[in-house]
């Protein structure tokens, strides 16, 4: 299921990037993703942290801050560093809401935060964010969209895990 989440994040993040020739910004983030996929976490973290710092100088309505925060949060999440990932996902969520409103990208950001809580075992928080993500995404893209199905799948894992804990 972890691979399903990562694919969802990558698809959603790609939607945030333009379809034009990759900018130096995009190339930098792609290099970070390449390094992360090769297990070179320290180098990837350096790139993503620099991107976050650089994004602080961008216009308030520039989505790149949310992108950089999401990449850095995902790196920490992949390493099991949830206490570092969660505030970054929260900041990305705020940045997306400010720049894009409560549409598709916001729903994806809500799901990312919920999934981080799920992976850490904070199931009630995960449930809250995942249910909110379903509602946002259904409103933005309709109930039969693949993103909605992915979030519903994450929500099912939460419920299944909660049920297992109750039986113990």
């Amino acid at each position: 299921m972890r691979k399903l989440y990562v694919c969802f994040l990558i698809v959603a993040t790609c939607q945030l990037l333009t379809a034009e020739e990759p900018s130096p910004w995009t190339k930098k983030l792609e290099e970070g993703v390449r390094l992360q996929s090769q297990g070179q976490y320290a180098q990837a973290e350096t790139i993503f942290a620099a991107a976050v710092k650089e994004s602080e100088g961008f216009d308030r309505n520039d989505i790149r801050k949310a992108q950089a925060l999401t990449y850095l949060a995902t790196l920490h999440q992949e390493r099991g560093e949830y206490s570092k990932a969660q505030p970054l996902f929260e900041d990305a969520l705020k940045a997306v809401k400010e720049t894009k409103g409560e549409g598709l990208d916001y729903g994806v950001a809500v799901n990312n935060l919920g999934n981080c809580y799920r992976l850490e075992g904070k199931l009630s928080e995960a449930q809250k964010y995942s249910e909110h993500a379903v509602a946002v995404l259904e409103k933005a893209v309709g109930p039969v969209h693949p993103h909605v199905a992915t979030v519903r799948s994450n929500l099912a894992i939460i419920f299944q895990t909660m049920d297992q804990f109750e039986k113990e």
Side-chain angles (χ1 to χ4, degrees), residues 48-70:
F48 296 147
V52 169
K53 186 169 179 68
E54 184 180 346
S55 73
E56 292 169 1
F58 296 159
D59 182 82
R60 190 184 118 131
N61 294 324
D62 195 320
I63 194 67
R64 291 179 291 178
K65 180 176 183 178
Q67 292 172 339
L69 288 163
T70 300

Side-chain angles (χ1 to χ4, degrees), residues 39-154:
Q40 298 177 28
Y41 297 115
Q43 297 92 328
E45 182 176 359
T46 299
I47 289 173
F48 296 147
V52 169
K53 186 169 179 68
E54 184 180 346
S55 73
E56 292 169 1
F58 296 159
D59 182 82
R60 190 184 118 131
N61 294 324
D62 195 320
I63 194 67
R64 291 179 291 178
K65 180 176 183 178
Q67 292 172 339
L69 288 163
T70 300
Y71 279 112
L72 186 56
T74 302
L75 174 88
H76 287 301
Q77 178 179 278
E78 186 175 315
R79 293 166 69 179
E81 300 169 345
Y82 304 114
S83 63
K84 291 181 180 180
Q86 287 167 358
L88 294 167
F89 278 129
E90 289 169 0
D91 289 346
L93 180 63
K94 290 175 194 169
V96 169
K97 187 173 184 179
E98 288 176 9
T99 59
K100 298 280 214 168
E102 291 193 16
L104 173 63
D105 295 329
Y106 179 75
V108 170
V110 172
N111 179 65
N112 290 343
L113 182 56
N115 198 54
C116 187
Y117 280 119
R118 178 184 67 80
L119 292 170
E120 187 178 10
K122 294 182 177 180
L123 300 178
S124 61
E125 286 295 305
Q127 179 184 351
K128 178 178 85 171
Y129 282 101
S130 295
E131 287 174 343
H132 183 56
V134 168
V136 169
L137 289 169
E138 283 183 345
K139 184 176 179 184
V141 296
V144 296
H145 193 278
H147 288 349
V148 175
T150 299
V151 179
R152 285 190 181 282
S153 176
N154 290 344

